[in-house]
């Protein structure tokens, strides 16, 4: 895709405009966790279709190869200014994290995942720890093309509507965090394209951290128009990635209480960072 600088004559993509209208309608109704994209139908994920811990040799080979392809893909996006990381603040909070952790981030673009991946690589943690990403069931079972390959092979942890698969998911999460790796999960649940405000958090990410006695690392991405317009008729966004101090579970309280505490604390950090970044209270 060739970007067009400062060209307001480019017609805005009808699909994008429809997504914006759906977001406006849901926001007015106070509903913040519904998908606004037209995703492929979800096929139930059965246990035999996913190897969470890459215990099979074939899984490890595919993961190694596809991760290399994905890194090159992300680097090309950055080179071509389709993904613009303007700055990173608080990198020390990731650099100095010496245990397994649940990373949370606001979800507003398919590329925010790539931005987190790049920051993780730049932090130097890639040499010591793996970064896993929790994804929706349909992204794993139904997505076609290159993104489908990424979803199935780039250290992803797909959720599932099948009970036995979720038992395997939870077992894998426990092992991943215990050995010191990271898991990225979006607490807002659904992706809302270029939506700047902080949406309510679901408890899942914090329950995961509390049950496994690991911290939550909050990352908030603020963004603004660049001077580069894409062929969809919208300006490419410049990201500022704010890595905030980790929120550790408290001692001598239950996992349920810790999950609620870490959710509330992380949400306040997001709200405060939003106000700082955009100059307005949420």
């Amino acid at each position: 895709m060739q970007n067009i600088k400062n060209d307001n004559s480019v017609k805005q993509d009808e699909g994008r405009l429809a997504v914006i209208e759906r977001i406006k309608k849901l926001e007015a109704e106070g509903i913040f966790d519904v998908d606004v994209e037209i995703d492929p139908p979800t096929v139930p994920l059965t246990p035999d279709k996913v190897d969470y811990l890459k215990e099979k040799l074939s899984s490890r080979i595919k993961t190694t190869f596809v991760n290399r392809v994905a890194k090159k893909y992300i680097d090309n996006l950055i080179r071509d200014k389709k993904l613009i990381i303007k700055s990173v603040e608080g990198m020390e909070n990731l650099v100095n994290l010496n245990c397994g952790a649940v990373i949370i981030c606001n979800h507003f673009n398919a590329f925010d995942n790539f931005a987190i991946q790049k920051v993780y690589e730049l932090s130097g943690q890639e040499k010591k720890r793996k970064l896993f990403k929790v994804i929706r069931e349909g992204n794993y079972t139904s997505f076609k093309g290159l993104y489908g390959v990424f979803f199935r092979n780039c250290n992803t942890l797909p959720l599932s509507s099948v009970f036995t698969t979720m038992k395997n998911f939870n077992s894998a999460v426990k092992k991943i965090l215990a050995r010191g790796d990271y898991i990225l999960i979006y607490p807002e649940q659904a992706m809302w394209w270029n939506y700047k405000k902080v949406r309510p958090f679901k408890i899942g990410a914090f329950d995961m951290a509390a049950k496994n006695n690991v911290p939550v690392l909050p990352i908030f991405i603020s963004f603004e128009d660049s001077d580069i317009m894409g062929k969809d008729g919208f300006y490419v966004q410049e990201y500022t990635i704010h890595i905030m101090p980790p929120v550790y579970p408290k001692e001598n309280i239950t996992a349920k209480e810790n999950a609620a505490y870490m959710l509330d604390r992380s949400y306040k950090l997001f709200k405060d960072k939003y106000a700082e970044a955009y100059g307005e209270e949420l």
Side-chain angles (χ1 to χ4, degrees), residues 201 203 206-207 209-210 214-216 218 245-251 253-269:
F201 289 172
I203 196 66
F206 309 95
D207 185 60
V214 298
V216 170
V247 179
Y248 288 88
K250 291 183 174 181
E251 296 182 358
I253 63 174
T254 67
K256 184 177 180 180
E257 290 169 333
N258 255 322
Y261 158 70
M262 288 192 282
L263 185 153
D264 290 343
R265 177 61 182 158
S266 298
Y267 191 72
K268 184 178 187 306
L269 288 171

Side-chain angles (χ1 to χ4, degrees), residues 105-161:
C105 179
N106 50 322
H107 197 20
F108 60 91
N109 195 292
F111 288 179
D112 56 44
N113 181 297
F114 298 151
I116 298 298
Q117 176 69 31
K118 194 63 184 177
V119 166
Y120 155 73
E121 293 171 12
L122 293 172
S123 73
Q125 290 284 14
E126 185 183 28
K127 299 174 183 177
K128 298 177 286 185
R129 310 173 197 282
K130 292 180 180 178
L131 173 64
F132 290 81
K133 306 102 181 174
V134 173
I135 63 172
R136 63 185 290 272
E137 185 175 36
N139 286 358
Y140 190 90
T141 61
S142 307
F143 240 87
K144 307 296 183 184
L146 183 62
Y147 273 33
V149 174
F150 289 165
F151 282 138
R152 285 182 285 278
N153 296 285
C154 287
N155 293 342
T156 54
L157 300 172
L159 298 167
S160 176
S161 55

Side-chain angles (χ1 to χ4, degrees), residues 41-169:
T42 296
V43 176
L45 178 61
T46 53
D48 59 302
K49 298 296 184 183
V50 58
D51 180 11
Y52 283 114
L53 296 174
K54 307 303 181 221
E55 294 173 324
K56 300 175 184 176
L57 177 60
S58 59
S59 299
R60 294 196 295 272
I61 292 172
K62 282 192 290 186
T63 295
T64 299
F65 175 75
V66 176
N67 272 326
R68 289 174 183 169
V69 174
K71 283 186 181 183
K72 186 173 182 180
Y73 182 81
I74 295 170
D75 288 341
N76 287 341
L77 288 176
I78 293 172
R79 181 199 64 198
D80 297 338
K81 295 190 181 300
K82 297 174 185 177
L83 169 60
I84 302 174
I85 299 175
K86 182 180 177 181
S87 63
V88 180
E89 300 177 358
M91 180 67 91
E92 68 278 3
N93 292 317
L94 178 54
V95 170
N96 296 329
L97 193 57
N98 292 317
C99 62
V102 173
I103 298 175
I104 61 170
C105 179
N106 50 322
H107 197 20
F108 60 91
N109 195 292
F111 288 179
D112 56 44
N113 181 297
F114 298 151
I116 298 298
Q117 176 69 31
K118 194 63 184 177
V119 166
Y120 155 73
E121 293 171 12
L122 293 172
S123 73
Q125 290 284 14
E126 185 183 28
K127 299 174 183 177
K128 298 177 286 185
R129 310 173 197 282
K130 292 180 180 178
L131 173 64
F132 290 81
K133 306 102 181 174
V134 173
I135 63 172
R136 63 185 290 272
E137 185 175 36
N139 286 358
Y140 190 90
T141 61
S142 307
F143 240 87
K144 307 296 183 184
L146 183 62
Y147 273 33
V149 174
F150 289 165
F151 282 138
R152 285 182 285 278
N153 296 285
C154 287
N155 293 342
T156 54
L157 300 172
L159 298 167
S160 176
S161 55
V162 179
F163 177 76
T164 49
T165 310
M166 280 306 295
K167 283 184 66 177
N168 293 344
F169 172 92

